[in-house]
Amino acid sequence: MSSSLLIVEDDEVMRLTLQGYFTQKGYAVHGVAKGKVGLEVVKKNEVDVALLDINLPDGSGLDFLPRMRAENEDLVVVVMTAYPDVANAVQAMKDGAFDYIIKPFDLDDMDLTL
């Protein structure tokens, strides 16, 4: 059984790049551009891992993180951001994020994280 991966990233190039990379690695991948859609994916599907951008068009990924984890307490969430902020990193970890990754990142490094 392959792991299921949710990518919540509004940057289409980044999202499609991650989707292609992790599909080739054998993940079942859901890619969405908005936090609300990502939350619905978590509610309706077995998702093992979520890559969650902080800056989304419909709110902060940090607002969606606890809501996603409330739907699936076993969900592993990796928060991604191009705008690192210590307060955001601390909040993400308090809300149950597995890791906080700064963009741009190396795809192989992200694969090791997962």
Side-chain angles (χ1 to χ4, degrees):
M1 182 182 102
S2 68
S3 294
S4 177
L5 175 64
L6 168 63
I7 300 165
V8 184
E9 169 63 67
D10 62 316
D11 181 291
E12 185 177 22
V13 172
M14 172 69 86
R15 186 176 65 253
L16 294 176
T17 299
L18 289 167
Q19 281 181 244
Y21 180 83
F22 286 108
T23 297
Q24 286 184 336
K25 292 284 186 175
Y27 287 86
V29 180
H30 304 272
V32 300
K34 295 185 178 180
K36 288 179 185 171
V37 180
L39 185 57
E40 288 302 312
V41 170
V42 171
K43 287 180 180 180
K44 296 177 181 176
N45 299 275
E46 294 259 344
V47 177
D48 300 306
V49 179
L51 301 181
L52 179 61
D53 190 22
I54 287 182
N55 294 316
L56 297 168
D58 59 345
S60 170
L62 294 178
D63 293 334
F64 292 104
L65 170 59
R67 294 166 64 189
M68 288 179 177
R69 299 245 324 130
E71 290 295 328
N72 176 354
E73 65 184 21
D74 296 326
L75 180 65
V76 174
V77 180
V78 175
V79 173
M80 308 178 295
T81 186
Y83 308 98
D85 179 87
V86 172
N88 283 345
V90 169
Q91 188 62 52
M93 301 313 264
K94 282 183 178 179
D95 287 341
F98 175 76
D99 207 345
Y100 182 91
I101 302 220
I102 298 166
K103 297 188 268 184
F105 49 78
D106 184 84
L107 287 172
D108 292 329
D109 290 342
M110 178 64 84
D111 190 30
L112 288 174
T113 298
L114 299 187

